[in-house]
Amino acid sequence: MAELRFDGISKAYQGRLAIADVSLTVPSGSFTVFIGPSGCGKTTLLEIAAALIPASSGQVSLAGRAITKPGPETAIVFQHHNLFEWLTVRDNVAFGLRAQGVKRSERRLRASKLLADVGLIEHANKLPRELSGGMRQRVAIARSLVLNPQVLLMDEPFSSLDYQTRRVMQRYLLTLWHHAKATVVMVTHDLDEALALADQVVLFSGSPGRILEVVDLPLERPRSPEDPQLREIRSHLRQHLEQEVALGEFTAAELATFDREGMTADL
Ligand code: ADP
Ligand code: MG
């Protein structure tokens, strides 16, 4: 059981409220996606969930226990991977296991298994600089999963990648998630990415960030963009985002970033 709960989380920076009273349950083993305008506090919420920074009020708990300090039960992946450039791909993935005292043969085995899941086993002996952006980000995700975290937090992990590469990454991510059985929270700016991956999409308002809506997606994966149920949810989310633009919560330019390559024309 690794249910992640946000209870009345607020956060102020220098007296200015960045997040206002966010309460949310992320069920054990589920995949939750955060969508919201830039500056609404998504990164801040993930950092609070990982106990990298404190909340001003409220609490985050994992399996019923308050999270008060960073620990191996939670892994976080940022937009810009921070791989060790002097270590091979396999050693990057195995890195965290060394600190845990796992012996070398076992480290190699576990790293290789994850690298196979992300299609990089042939690149295991390369250095990060020899890989493309998408491959490097796959290494970063594999590296964070090697310690078998209960919770995986990802902050726009694919946003610097092109559309096609993102689609491929989503498939790898689903495989990893399936094997890891972790509770996942991911921030994205890509509505189609949210729809492809999420069990629930959480829509945030502009600053200070509040939850506007939580949308459930009780759909099998892999999902087809043509699935009528998915299209209905997409259209609902799209309409909600448009309302937010009308209310001044988002700018139209921001809305365009959420729905760049999608099916806008037929909605
Ligand atoms: P998002 O990830 O949704 O774009 P952030 O969590 O990065 O939003 O930021 C939320 C708000 O908090 C923004 O207004 C941002 O300027 C502010 N903020 C974030 N980190 C800090 C910090 N360390 N000090 C002061 N203000 C911050
Ligand atoms: Mg952010």
Side-chain angles (χ1 to χ4, degrees):
M1 238 335 247
E3 178 185 272
L4 184 67
R5 266 184 62 166
F6 296 82
D7 274 312
I9 297 288
S10 296
K11 176 72 181 177
Y13 288 110
Q14 286 102 38
R16 210 174 141 259
L17 204 58
I19 297 171
D21 195 23
V22 165
S23 294
L24 175 73
T25 299
V26 182
S28 180
S30 72
F31 201 124
T32 287
V33 170
F34 288 177
I35 285 198
S38 187
C40 76
K42 303 177 298 293
T43 296
T44 300
L45 263 180
L46 294 193
E47 287 172 345
I48 291 170
L52 298 176
I53 58 169
S56 302
S57 58
Q59 125 176 332
V60 181
S61 53
L62 178 62
R65 255 189 304 210
I67 300 175
T68 52
K69 57 179 186 336
E73 64 283 354
T74 301
I76 186 160
V77 174
F78 296 99
Q79 178 178 350
H80 298 289
H81 57 76
N82 34 4
L83 299 178
F84 303 116
E85 297 295 335
W86 61 93
L87 294 181
T88 65
V89 164
R90 184 187 280 107
D91 287 345
N92 261 281
V93 175
F95 184 81
L97 294 172
R98 191 173 184 159
Q100 287 199 337
V102 176
K103 66 177 200 293
R104 188 176 156 80
S105 57
E106 164 88 13
R107 291 203 301 266
R108 285 181 68 86
L109 201 72
R110 280 168 67 179
S112 296
K113 203 157 161 270
L114 280 164
L115 284 170
D117 275 353
V118 294
L120 289 177
I121 196 71
E122 289 102 274
H123 303 279
N125 295 319
K126 290 187 178 165
L127 289 171
R129 66 164 176 269
E130 299 174 77
L131 306 182
S132 70
M135 290 155 94
R136 293 168 69 102
Q137 203 56 317
R138 263 138 68 190
V139 177
I141 297 170
R143 188 178 61 170
S144 64
L145 285 174
V146 81
L147 297 175
N148 295 325
Q150 296 174 55
V151 176
L152 176 64
L153 307 170
M154 289 182 287
D155 196 5
E156 304 191 35
F158 308 147
S159 60
S160 59
L161 307 174
D162 65 72
Y163 186 78
Q164 276 313 321
T165 308
R166 284 213 298 272
R167 294 290 164 266
V168 174
M169 298 293 283
Q170 288 157 19
R171 284 202 294 276
Y172 283 122
L173 182 58
L174 286 177
T175 305
L176 282 174
W177 173 58
H178 185 71
H179 288 174
K181 299 182 172 54
T183 305
V184 174
V185 180
M186 171 171 165
V187 176
T188 184
H189 258 273
D190 176 346
L191 189 54
D192 289 307
E193 183 161 281
L195 292 165
L197 299 173
D199 291 308
Q200 63 176 357
V201 174
V202 183
L203 189 62
F204 286 88
S205 71
S207 184
R210 289 165 287 114
I211 293 181
L212 292 172
E213 196 185 3
V214 178
V215 178
D216 290 322
L217 286 91
L219 306 172
E220 297 279 308
R221 302 177 187 81
R223 297 170 178 166
S224 158
E226 308 308 324
D227 177 346
Q229 241 184 313
L230 194 76
R231 291 177 69 82
E232 202 180 304
I233 295 170
R234 186 180 205 289
S235 147
H236 170 79
L237 276 168
R238 167 86 200 179
Q239 272 168 19
H240 199 142
L241 289 166
E242 275 167 15
Q243 273 168 21
E244 295 310 310
V245 174
L247 291 171
E249 293 277 6
F250 287 42
T251 63
E254 254 167 353
L255 176 60
T257 71
F258 288 113
D259 200 3
R260 225 174 335 209
E261 285 95 346
M263 302 174 287
T264 334
D266 39 358
L267 286 175

